[in-house]
């Protein structure tokens, strides 16, 4: 049976593909080297030579946005990827073990949730130094907790279904049941959640770089660009617009993709929240 | 004949005219209050117990007085002491205090307070940020209430200068312990209130025994965000913003007749501080290579928007004794690469550049890193907060490179300190420093300062970048704010409105 693809899925996938395409392109080509400083040509408005103008050190804003896309995606992918690797097995384990195993995973999750992701990242970067790696670790920790919780909830629902009982009655062990029956049935929910977390990771990375704790110069980052632009709100207001739009479009794309995927995979869920 | 209604209208009109005239008369009266904008809030208000410049920027000369003061031109003028003399051998200093000086709590300020202050500052448990200033003191005597005699154990050419710093502000035994929150000094302004996170208010001291300031109320407002600083000035909330560092906004203020922009110099030699004990910076060729790799003019343009002066050693161009050494290492990336190759780093090397929070450091560091990258020195940027910087870099001396302005006046002697964070050791420099301490003659002192500057430049101890400017944006009609910053101060005692 084929379902109609929701509009948000189209839009979200389009924007996300665009983001990925720009990031990939930046590996091969940018109009200028993104780190090339030319102070004499600073704070220029968009021109034919610099499509999005130049920043306060005369760097090409378009090139910085392109490389910034790559950096944002890399941090997001790493934070979500690590979160999936740690969170999903934990969630599955909790659901399979039940009782005290379940308790342990749930309390660990509570511990992580007690601190917002950004705060955890600030604490971590204060202790270990600013930089992309520590940001990834902090965001991955938060993502792992979210994914473990979502995975556990979804897995528990599957465990209660009759075919799992049948499989157990036929002598399958918990590991086999988890891999053969539970995982495929919750994959959709996990993918949707991961997509939304990807968007959250991009926002958080931008927030931390804005504070100077994330990706370090000379490597460009959208958040850092926004932070730098703040000083120029009166003199060169356009400086804040381009990185701001880049962040907004990426987050919008990923969020719509997540929404669209959820609607497509589970039509009954159409209007309820994800978490 | 006007009707009743017309009469009322006329009366109302007349009243309005009178009111307008009255308010115009009020406008013609010059204002007597002042709002000074500062980027940083002081952690407390005791200048004898903290290094933060903001403490002195609120209290120096306004609320607290040292024995001597530094004036707007950097000259020594009377403070609590109305006159002083120095013995031939440079070991005995006799200070005569103002006869009617009083603390704000009404107690008299006499030689006993001077003794208390100096003994407290040099005591073992002293928390004075410049304890070294007081180290040469052997004893303080008080022959009479108006006279304090200070005997040194060794000559110190800068002793008077140090006694004019905020760190040497004279405090009273009754109030010394509570000065941090409720400062009591002898100055022409006294403490009114402190709204944490927002402002400190000082009011004119009616009992001041010297010349009374024209301003009767000064409010120091603390605004750290650059955009908010600009907005506050434009909204008219701030009368004068000192040490203004949003340099890119200056053209706008210069073009606006409602504002005056003054650009002077601080005492802040801005350095690419280098750990001389750590490889590869222990090799003078590497340090010279870095000196050739840095384009100071671009740096000054990029960071200060042109509002700064390049330096070639650790000495401000506006002071006597300055030698221009900016030509010693012209910007030359090819030469820098050659020097690096000679030192055994043909492919450059990796290092870390640690940056404290001020914009000149964060922005300047980014540019310096880009310039070093051009010659193969890959500097990883590590932004840190002040506490971490002080702990790890300044005290711990655990760093490769950092960027910082050294704002204490006449502080070239820090290169002679064995435990200073540059980890620089030079017999030549130390010999010059000892001679300097024995020398009183100004001409000879200046020649020695010149020699010291040359040694530092030849050794390329640090990257000598630029003098941090002192930029003041103020409302037109305000006069008397300092153009330069010979000491950390916002001395408003001579400020008035036209």
């Amino acid at each position: 049976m084929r379902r109609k693809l929701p509009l948000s899925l189209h839009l979200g996938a389009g924007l996300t593909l665009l983001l990925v395409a720009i990031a990939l392109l930046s590996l091969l080509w940018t109009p200028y080297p993104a780190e090339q400083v030319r102070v004499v040509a600073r704070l220029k408005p968009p021109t034919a030579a610099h499509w999005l103008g130049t920043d306060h050190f005369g760097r090409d804003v378009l090139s910085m946005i392109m490389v910034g896309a790559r950096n944002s995606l890399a941090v997001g992918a790493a934070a979500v990827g690590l979160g999936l690797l740690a969170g999903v097995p934990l969630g599955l384990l909790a659901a399979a073990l039940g009782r005290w195993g379940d308790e342990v995973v749930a309390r660990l999750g509570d511990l992580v949730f007690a601190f917002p992701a950004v705060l955890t990242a600030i604490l971590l970067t204060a202790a270990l130094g600013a930089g992309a790696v520590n940001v990834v670790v902090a965001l991955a920790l938060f993502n792992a907790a979210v994914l473990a919780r979502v995975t556990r909830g979804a897995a528990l629902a599957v465990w209660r279904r009759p075919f799992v009982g049948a499989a157990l009655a036929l002598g399958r062990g918990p590991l086999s049941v988890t891999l053969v029956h539970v995982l495929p049935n919750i994959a959709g929910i996990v993918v949707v959640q991961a997509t939304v977390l990807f968007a959250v990771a991009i926002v958080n990375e931008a927030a931390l770089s804005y504070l100077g704790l994330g990706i370090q110069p000379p490597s460009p980052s959208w958040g850092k660009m926004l932070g730098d632009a703040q000083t120029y709100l009166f003199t060169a207001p356009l400086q804040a617009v381009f990185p701001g739009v880049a962040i907004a479009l990426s987050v919008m794309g990923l969020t719509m993709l997540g929404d669209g995927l959820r609607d497509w995979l589970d039509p009954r869920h159409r209007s309820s929240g994800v978490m | 004949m006007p009707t009743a209604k017309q009469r009322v209208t006329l009366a109302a009109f007349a009243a309005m005219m009178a009111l307008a005239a009255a308010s115009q008369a009020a406008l013609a009266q010059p204002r007597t209050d002042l709002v000074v904008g500062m980027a940083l809030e002081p952690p407390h208000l005791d200048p004898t117990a903290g290094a933060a410049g903001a403490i002195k920027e609120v209290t120096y000369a306004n609320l607290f007085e040292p024995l001597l003061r530094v004036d707007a031109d950097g000259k020594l003028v009377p403070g609590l002491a109305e006159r002083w003399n120095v013995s031939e051998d440079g070991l005995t200093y006799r200070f005569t205090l103002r006869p009617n000086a009083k603390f704000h709590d009404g107690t008299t300020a006499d030689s006993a307070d001077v003794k208390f202050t100096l003994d407290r500052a040099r005591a073992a448990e002293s928390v004075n940020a410049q304890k070294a200033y007081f180290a040469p003191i052997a004893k303080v005597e008080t022959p009479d209430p108006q006279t304090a005699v200070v005997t040194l154990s060794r000559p110190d050419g800068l002793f008077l200068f140090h006694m004019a710093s905020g760190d040497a502000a004279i405090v009273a035994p009754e109030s010394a312990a509570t000065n941090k929150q409720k400062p009591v000094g002898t100055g022409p302004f006294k403490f009114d209130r402190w709204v944490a996170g927002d402002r400190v208010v000082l009011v004119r001291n009616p009992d001041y025994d010297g010349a009374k300031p024209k301003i009767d109320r000064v409010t120091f407002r603390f605004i750290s965000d650059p955009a908010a600083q600009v907005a506050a000035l434009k909204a008219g909330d701030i009368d004068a913003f000192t040490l203004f560092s949003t340099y890119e906004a200056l053209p706008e203020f210069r073009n606006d007749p409602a504002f005056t922009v003054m650009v002077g110099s601080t005492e802040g030699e801005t350095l690419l501080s280098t750990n001389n004990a750590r490889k590869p910076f222990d090799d003078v060729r590497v340090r010279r290579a870095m000196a050739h790799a840095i384009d100071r003019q671009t740096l000054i343009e990029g960071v200060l928007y042109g509002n700064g002066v390049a330096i070639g050693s650790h000495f401000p161009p506006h002071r006597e004794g300055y030698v221009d050494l900016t030509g010693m290492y012209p910007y030359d990336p090819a030469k820098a690469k050659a020097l690096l190759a000679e030192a055994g780093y043909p492919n450059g090397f990796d290092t870390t550049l640690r940056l404290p929070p001020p914009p000149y450091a964060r922005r300047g560091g980014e540019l310096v890193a880009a310039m070093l990258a051009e010659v193969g020195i890959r500097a990883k940027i590590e932004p840190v907060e002040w506490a971490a910087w002080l702990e790890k870099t300044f005290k711990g001396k655990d760093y490769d490179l950092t960027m910082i302005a050294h704002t204490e006046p006449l502080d070239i002697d820090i290169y002679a300190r064995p435990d200073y964070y540059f980890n620089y050791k030079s017999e030549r420099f130390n010999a010059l420093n000892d001679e300097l301490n024995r020398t009183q003659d100004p001409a000879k002192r200046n020649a020695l300062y010149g020699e010291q500057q040359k040694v530092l430049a030849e050794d390329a101890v640090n990257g000598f970048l630029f003098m941090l400017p002192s930029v003041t944006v103020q409302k037109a009609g305000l006069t008397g704010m300092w153009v330069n910053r010979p000491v950390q101060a916002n001395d408003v005692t001579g400020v008035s409105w036209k």
Side-chain angles (χ1 to χ4, degrees):
Chain A
M1 184 179 71
R2 289 200 55 167
R3 299 184 209 126
K4 195 165 164 280
L5 293 178
L7 178 67
S8 59
L9 187 59
H10 281 285
L11 277 173
L15 278 172
T16 307
L17 276 177
L18 183 70
L19 177 70
V20 173
I22 289 172
L24 289 177
L25 178 62
S26 80
L27 287 169
L28 305 171
W29 176 84
T30 51
Y32 297 85
E35 299 165 13
Q36 182 184 302
V37 164
R38 264 187 80 226
V39 171
V40 284
R42 69 175 158 215
L43 296 174
K44 291 270 182 282
T47 57
H50 297 278
W51 289 4
L52 302 183
T54 59
D55 81 342
H56 59 291
F57 285 155
R59 292 175 293 204
D60 181 58
V61 171
L62 177 58
S63 307
M64 292 177 80
I65 295 269
M66 289 173 70
V67 179
R70 190 210 298 164
N71 285 340
S72 277
L73 278 181
V75 167
V80 173
L82 288 174
L84 281 169
L85 279 179
V88 173
L90 269 178
L92 289 173
L93 196 67
L97 289 176
R99 290 200 262 203
W100 63 268
D102 196 11
E103 271 300 302
V104 169
V105 172
R107 291 296 84 81
L108 279 177
D110 287 344
L111 192 68
V112 175
F113 286 127
F115 302 95
V118 174
L119 187 65
T120 310
I122 290 175
L123 288 174
L124 206 65
T125 49
L128 303 175
V133 173
N134 291 334
V135 168
V136 165
V137 170
L139 296 181
L141 196 68
F142 174 77
N143 288 347
V146 174
L147 287 165
R149 183 159 288 195
V150 170
T151 304
R152 172 191 163 271
L156 276 180
V158 178
W159 273 96
R160 284 192 211 102
R161 289 172 61 184
F163 63 82
V164 170
L168 287 171
L170 287 173
R172 287 209 182 246
L175 178 68
S176 165
V177 168
T178 298
L179 292 179
V180 176
H181 294 292
V182 180
L183 196 53
N185 275 296
I186 64 166
I189 295 169
V190 171
V191 167
V192 168
Q193 188 60 49
T195 313
V196 173
L197 286 176
F198 206 118
V200 174
I202 286 182
V203 172
N204 284 342
E205 187 280 315
L208 290 162
S209 292
Y210 168 86
L211 295 172
L213 301 173
I215 294 167
Q216 289 305 313
S219 205
S221 134
W222 293 343
K224 168 86 165 49
M225 290 173 79
L226 260 189
D228 286 338
Q230 192 186 349
T231 325
Y232 301 94
L233 277 181
F234 286 95
T235 38
L238 267 184
Q239 293 286 316
V241 171
F242 298 118
V245 167
I247 295 170
L249 283 182
S250 315
V251 171
M252 219 165 81
L254 282 162
T255 312
M256 287 201 298
L257 181 65
D259 274 1
L261 277 176
R262 187 196 58 211
D263 289 353
W264 182 52
L265 293 169
D266 185 5
R268 287 163 304 173
H269 242 278
R270 192 142 299 200
S271 57
S272 69
V274 177
M275 281 178 66
Chain B
M1 282 290 282
T3 63
K5 199 174 172 188
Q6 276 170 329
R7 267 203 297 275
V8 171
T9 315
L10 272 174
F13 185 69
M16 269 166 63
M17 291 299 284
L19 210 70
S23 65
Q24 233 164 25
L27 277 179
Q29 282 284 317
R31 276 175 58 192
T32 55
D33 65 322
L34 177 69
V35 183
V36 176
M38 289 168 50
L40 295 178
E41 177 171 25
H44 60 79
L45 294 171
D46 183 356
T48 67
I55 303 171
K56 287 152 204 166
E57 284 162 23
V58 170
T59 60
Y60 186 83
N62 300 328
L63 199 151
F64 284 111
E65 292 175 311
L67 288 167
L68 283 68
R69 276 195 308 128
V70 173
D71 73 359
D73 303 320
K75 285 201 293 287
L76 292 178
V77 295
L80 188 62
E82 57 183 9
R83 48 181 202 279
W84 58 90
N85 59 56
V86 188
S87 66
E88 278 293 309
D89 60 2
L91 288 176
T92 311
Y93 289 73
R94 174 178 289 265
F95 299 95
T96 309
L97 310 185
R98 292 199 312 260
N100 301 317
K102 277 196 176 65
F103 281 98
H104 300 147
D105 60 5
T107 57
T108 53
D110 55 26
S111 57
D113 298 303
V114 174
K115 182 171 167 57
F116 168 77
T117 299
L118 299 183
D119 286 347
R120 171 173 172 259
R122 68 199 182 98
E125 68 278 11
S126 160
V127 291
N128 197 292
Q130 301 293 345
K131 228 173 143 178
Y133 286 4
F134 307 91
I137 299 177
K139 61 176 181 214
V140 184
E141 291 158 303
T142 54
D144 66 68
Q146 224 189 309
T147 311
V149 179
V150 180
T151 311
L152 305 190
S153 54
R154 55 179 157 89
D156 176 2
L158 285 177
F159 184 69
L160 280 180
F161 194 76
H162 289 159
M163 288 307 104
S165 70
D167 306 280
I170 302 302
V171 296
E174 298 88 352
S175 45
T178 50
N179 275 342
K180 283 187 173 178
Q181 298 305 322
K182 211 176 163 303
V184 174
T186 59
F189 289 96
K190 55 181 188 178
F191 178 73
D192 181 44
R193 65 200 173 100
W194 182 358
V195 183
D198 183 42
R199 65 185 69 200
V200 168
V201 182
L202 309 182
V203 292
R204 189 161 57 197
N205 170 15
D207 304 322
Y208 188 61
D209 57 318
K212 293 208 174 47
K214 295 210 172 66
I215 299 293
D216 59 16
R217 182 183 188 81
V218 54
T219 306
F220 294 94
R221 284 199 57 194
F222 315 114
I223 305 175
S224 59
D225 180 69
Q229 293 170 0
V230 174
L233 273 163
K234 289 194 164 172
D237 296 345
I238 302 283
D239 297 321
F241 208 104
T242 59
L243 290 185
F244 186 74
S245 62
T246 313
Y247 307 107
E248 57 273 14
L250 290 180
E252 230 179 316
F253 287 115
R254 283 200 177 100
N255 290 334
D256 188 335
F259 294 97
T260 318
V261 175
M262 300 193 296
V263 179
S265 184
T266 65
E267 297 293 319
E269 294 91 354
T270 309
L271 310 178
L272 177 66
S273 297
T274 307
N275 192 341
N276 279 241
R278 188 172 280 186
K279 265 186 179 319
F281 308 109
D282 55 346
D283 187 332
V284 71
R285 289 170 298 188
V286 170
R287 300 198 301 266
R288 286 179 182 155
M290 294 199 298
H292 279 299
I294 292 168
D295 178 358
R296 292 194 198 88
Q297 284 317 319
T298 297
L299 198 59
I300 289 169
E301 191 55 42
V303 180
L304 308 171
Y305 285 71
N307 298 290
V309 184
I311 50 170
S313 188
H314 194 101
F315 212 78
H318 58 260
R319 272 195 189 276
E320 283 177 37
Y322 169 74
V323 180
D324 185 356
L325 296 161
T326 50
M328 194 180 270
Y329 304 102
Y331 174 58
D332 188 347
K335 183 138 190 221
K337 278 186 196 158
L339 276 166
L340 282 177
E342 205 186 307
Y345 301 94
N347 302 315
F349 54 86
D350 290 284
T351 186
T352 305
L353 171 56
R354 194 174 291 152
L355 301 176
Y360 71 77
R362 291 278 164 94
R363 270 194 204 164
E366 222 178 303
L367 268 183
V368 165
M371 289 171 185
L372 291 178
E374 294 275 309
V375 302
I377 302 174
R378 298 166 295 275
K380 181 174 166 279
I381 287 177
E382 190 186 305
V384 290
E385 293 309 311
W386 271 124
W389 187 87
L390 284 169
E391 196 55 38
K392 260 177 115 174
T393 310
F394 193 69
K395 287 196 192 129
K397 290 172 268 184
D398 177 16
Y399 75 107
D400 294 342
L401 300 169
T402 186
M403 193 163 166
I404 182 82
H406 282 253
T407 50
E408 289 82 20
L410 276 176
D411 58 350
I412 196 168
D413 62 318
I414 53 180
Y415 291 82
R417 293 190 194 165
D419 54 347
Y420 210 61
Y421 79 110
F422 305 144
N423 281 325
Y424 171 68
K425 280 164 194 71
S426 160
E427 303 277 323
R428 252 173 95 203
F429 187 89
N430 292 353
L432 286 167
N433 208 59
D434 291 343
E435 201 181 333
L436 198 53
N437 275 335
R438 288 191 300 268
T439 311
Q440 296 275 346
D441 178 58
K444 282 193 194 134
R445 288 185 63 85
N446 287 341
L448 287 167
Y449 276 136
E451 290 303 309
Q452 283 193 321
Q453 292 167 56
K454 278 181 208 144
V455 172
L456 297 184
E458 275 162 22
D459 286 347
V461 183
N462 293 311
F464 300 110
L465 307 175
F466 52 77
M467 291 305 295
L468 198 64
S470 163
V471 176
T472 308
V473 179
Q474 60 183 30
K475 284 184 187 161
L478 190 68
T479 56
M481 294 295 292
W482 286 12
V483 178
N484 296 309
R485 201 51 88 91
V487 285
Q488 293 169 331
N490 282 316
D491 179 349
V492 299
T493 54
V495 173
S496 63
W497 290 95
K498 262 191 256 178

